[in-house]
Amino acid sequence: MALKSDLSLDIDKISSDTMADVVEMRLRDYFKKKSFKPGDALPKEQELAEALGVSRNVLREALSRLRMLGMIETKKKRGMILSSPDVLGGFQRVLDPLIISPDALQDLFELRLILEMGLADVLFLNLNDKSIRELEIIANSEKKKNKEAFRIANEIAFHGKLYEMAGNDTLKRFQHMLLPVFGFVLQVENEFLSGSVSHQDLVEILKSGNKNDFRNGMYEHLKPHFDRLEALRKIN
Amino acid sequence: MALKSDLSLDIDKISSDTMADVVEMRLRDYFKKKSFKPGDALPKEQELAEALGVSRNVLREALSRLRMLGMIETKKKRGMILSSPDVLGGFQRVLDPLIISPDALQDLFELRLILEMGLADVLFLNLNDKSIRELEIIANSEKKKNKEAFRIANEIAFHGKLYEMAGNDTLKRFQHMLLPVFGFVLQVENEFLSGSVSHQDLVEILKSGNKNDFRNGMYEHLKPHFDRLEALRKIN
DNA sequence: TCAAATGTTTTTGTACTACATAAAAACGAG
DNA sequence: CTCGTTTTTATGTAGTACAAAAACATTTGA
């Protein structure tokens, strides 16, 4: 053990990172160190490649990553500029229910429940009659049709509208990205039950109730999901 | 208007996407279409490049992106395999308070408040004496030191422990990534006030209260932030 | 005959060169 | 001075070459 430990002190662990990985990190550090701000021009590819001691090829692989995330933009002759990335861009690209792990899927499902339960306070900050009426229209349109596909679309519309009413674009987009996950988990569970509180009940609460009423109503609305969650936790 | 519309029908809009962008999408579609699952082997680079009609260079720029997101892994001779990406990996890379837009920063700040408020239900699903004791130790250690740096570290430790107690790894990591944002916004606002409910009060509620007590307590604890939020909303 | 050592093949990783393209900049004609 | 043209320059793409590593095949020695 002592020998092994000595050895690991003497010999650096070989990093299995590729050059592109290293360059990506180095570029990040460089931007931070130089405190570049969005809009600032960056050195050209050849200069960067030479400074880093790598081929333009490798450098471009790293730049391609940053470009995908929206951290940099490039114009043909003008060169590259640092830019404000879309915070959810990288998330969106990965959010395919078929490839992410079941554990992560479950976590995201829970995350949505948590978001909905926490929405009340911010929602009530922004509340106005117009949006409540719009929400009511969505809630009332449920009864008319009975088809499963419509019910799901309506479910999405209702909850989506709630997020929209919270007035937080990032949150709304986040929720929208999470929809496939939510749908997928529900589909797997073969379950699309609604609790004892309906969408219309929630609208009424928004009209005349307070935050706590809404939270309690939302909990009851989501109760089947929480019950399932509780059962799952008990098993593990 | 009619003419313009006709024209846009006749002429395809020029896409400013680079080949790497296109190839990235095409690969995504390909994986989905073939319903590859994590672990499945992918064709080798040359075959893909030829099939797509691009140079290996361009293909590798696209692959580099997918590799960054953890969607694929490569071994030297064995080739590439599809893998389960880390859902938060892409998010993490972009989460630098200095480069993301102020609007997004504000959105994320709100998101954290929403998460904390929504945490109660899942938290109570997992509650046990051991974790409450651990949380209490953190809360009690506040009084001893008075330094600002320690207070901040303690604040982080307490809320981090709450997330941990919720038993959702993805959520916990998400919160941990959001910390710099939270810290940054607070720093900009030059404000680190606590509401009328302290960490120790929250611990007491966990011991003997119910979910609603905890939610109300958490709201009071975070009240200064909500007040600021309300003021901001009124301005805009 | 079996196993260890060695060689071969295959596929990714990296480098380099070359050229196309687009856009800014410089230049020139009126 | 302004409009149009040419030049320059940086990125985008293609292609070739080779290094490195790992699986596979082969040889050698007991």
Side-chain angles (χ1 to χ4, degrees):
Chain A
M1 187 57 196
L3 256 172
K4 211 171 186 179
S5 155
D6 287 348
L7 219 141
S8 70
L9 283 177
D10 292 339
I11 303 180
D12 283 353
K13 186 174 272 176
I14 291 170
S15 160
S16 69
D17 286 351
T18 110
M19 281 296 160
D21 294 323
V22 176
V23 169
E24 187 206 330
M25 281 188 290
R26 292 286 296 274
L27 286 177
R28 274 210 164 69
D29 292 346
Y30 170 68
F31 297 158
K32 207 171 286 181
K33 195 175 213 167
K34 284 281 197 173
S35 60
F36 279 127
K37 289 187 228 166
D40 289 355
L42 305 177
K44 44 193 169 185
E45 291 184 355
Q46 262 200 43
E47 287 174 359
L48 285 173
E50 281 171 22
L52 290 162
V54 296
S55 72
R56 196 156 81 95
N57 227 329
V58 166
L59 175 76
R60 278 184 62 84
E61 285 188 20
L63 289 175
S64 180
R65 299 175 176 192
L66 302 182
R67 206 171 301 127
M68 173 186 67
L69 295 176
M71 284 184 65
I72 60 177
E73 287 173 25
T74 69
K75 301 259 169 178
K76 270 272 160 136
K77 143 93 184 174
R78 199 168 169 186
M80 296 177 289
I81 58 171
L82 200 68
S83 56
S84 276
D86 172 13
V87 285
L88 297 180
F91 188 68
Q92 184 167 28
R93 287 183 145 77
V94 152
L95 216 59
D96 181 342
L98 295 174
I99 58 171
I100 66 181
S101 73
D103 283 351
L105 270 179
Q106 179 60 29
D107 283 355
L108 290 176
F109 185 86
E110 287 179 22
L111 184 55
R112 216 202 97 156
L113 295 181
I114 292 172
L115 284 176
E116 306 245 345
M117 288 306 298
L119 210 55
D121 302 279
V122 178
L123 188 61
F124 270 77
L125 280 184
N126 267 40
L127 220 51
N128 62 67
D129 292 345
K130 180 168 171 289
S131 53
I132 292 181
R133 273 197 304 276
E134 290 165 357
L135 185 70
E136 191 169 24
I137 291 173
I138 296 173
N140 286 338
S141 70
E142 282 173 46
K143 285 186 177 165
K144 295 174 184 170
K145 300 195 179 183
N146 222 0
K147 291 189 178 162
E148 191 63 13
F150 182 79
R151 265 193 59 214
I152 294 175
N154 195 268
E155 175 82 14
I156 290 172
F158 183 85
H159 287 267
K161 181 69 183 175
L162 280 181
Y163 281 91
E164 185 187 314
M165 288 164 70
N168 184 318
D169 280 347
T170 303
L171 176 63
K172 171 145 180 56
R173 286 188 51 221
F174 189 62
Q175 177 257 357
H176 198 259
M177 291 177 196
L178 248 39
L179 282 176
V181 173
F182 207 65
F184 183 81
V185 174
L186 290 179
Q187 177 196 325
V188 166
E189 301 290 334
N190 221 3
E191 175 187 1
F192 216 110
L193 303 170
S194 222
S196 58
V197 169
S198 70
H199 287 170
Q200 281 161 326
D201 297 333
L202 287 175
V203 172
E204 287 308 314
I205 294 174
L206 280 181
K207 279 185 187 170
S208 54
N210 59 31
K211 285 188 290 190
N212 270 324
D213 296 333
F214 184 79
R215 266 199 285 262
N216 292 332
M218 181 58 88
Y219 180 76
E220 289 304 324
H221 179 65
L222 297 173
K223 187 128 198 314
H225 304 311
F226 278 110
D227 287 346
R228 190 171 63 78
L229 219 169
E230 190 172 1
L232 269 177
R233 292 284 174 109
K234 284 237 173 77
I235 293 170
N236 304 338
Chain B
M1 188 58 196
L3 254 172
K4 211 169 186 180
S5 149
D6 287 346
L7 216 137
S8 71
L9 283 178
D10 292 338
I11 304 180
D12 284 352
K13 187 175 275 176
I14 292 170
S15 158
S16 68
D17 287 350
T18 88
M19 282 294 162
D21 294 323
V22 177
V23 169
E24 187 206 331
M25 279 187 291
R26 292 285 295 276
L27 286 176
R28 276 212 161 69
D29 292 346
Y30 170 68
F31 297 158
K32 207 170 287 182
K33 196 175 213 166
K34 285 282 197 172
S35 59
F36 280 126
K37 288 187 225 165
D40 289 356
L42 305 177
K44 44 192 168 184
E45 292 184 353
Q46 260 199 47
E47 287 174 1
L48 284 173
E50 280 169 23
L52 289 160
V54 296
S55 70
R56 195 157 80 96
N57 229 329
V58 166
L59 175 77
R60 280 184 61 84
E61 285 189 19
L63 289 176
S64 179
R65 299 176 178 192
L66 302 181
R67 204 170 304 128
M68 173 185 67
L69 295 175
M71 285 183 65
I72 60 176
E73 286 172 26
T74 70
K75 301 256 171 181
K76 272 267 161 142
K77 143 93 185 177
R78 198 168 170 186
M80 296 176 290
I81 59 171
L82 200 69
S83 56
S84 276
D86 171 13
V87 285
L88 295 181
F91 188 68
Q92 184 167 27
R93 284 168 203 269
V94 153
L95 216 58
D96 180 342
L98 296 175
I99 59 171
I100 66 180
S101 73
D103 282 351
L105 269 180
Q106 179 60 28
D107 283 355
L108 291 176
F109 185 84
E110 286 179 24
L111 184 55
R112 217 202 95 155
L113 295 180
I114 292 171
L115 285 176
E116 306 247 346
M117 287 306 297
L119 210 55
D121 301 278
V122 178
L123 188 60
F124 270 76
L125 280 183
N126 268 38
L127 219 51
N128 63 67
D129 291 344
K130 179 168 173 287
S131 53
I132 291 182
R133 273 198 304 276
E134 290 164 356
L135 185 70
E136 191 170 24
I137 290 173
I138 296 173
N140 286 337
S141 70
E142 282 174 47
K143 283 185 179 167
K144 295 176 185 168
K145 300 197 180 183
N146 220 1
K147 291 191 178 160
E148 192 63 14
F150 181 78
R151 267 192 59 213
I152 294 176
N154 194 269
E155 176 82 15
I156 291 173
F158 183 84
H159 287 267
K161 182 68 183 174
L162 280 180
Y163 281 91
E164 185 187 314
M165 288 164 69
N168 183 317
D169 280 348
T170 303
L171 177 63
K172 169 142 181 57
R173 286 188 51 220
F174 190 63
Q175 178 257 357
H176 198 260
M177 290 178 197
L178 248 39
L179 283 177
V181 173
F182 207 65
F184 184 80
V185 174
L186 290 180
Q187 178 195 325
V188 166
E189 302 289 335
N190 220 1
E191 179 186 357
F192 215 110
L193 301 171
S194 220
S196 58
V197 170
S198 70
H199 288 170
Q200 279 160 327
D201 297 334
L202 287 174
V203 172
E204 287 308 314
I205 295 175
L206 280 181
K207 280 185 185 170
S208 55
N210 61 29
K211 284 189 288 190
N212 270 324
D213 296 332
F214 184 79
R215 268 200 284 262
N216 292 332
M218 181 59 88
Y219 180 76
E220 290 304 324
H221 180 64
L222 298 173
K223 188 133 199 309
H225 304 312
F226 278 112
D227 287 345
R228 193 171 63 76
L229 220 169
E230 189 171 2
L232 270 176
R233 291 284 174 110
K234 284 236 172 77
I235 293 172
N236 305 338

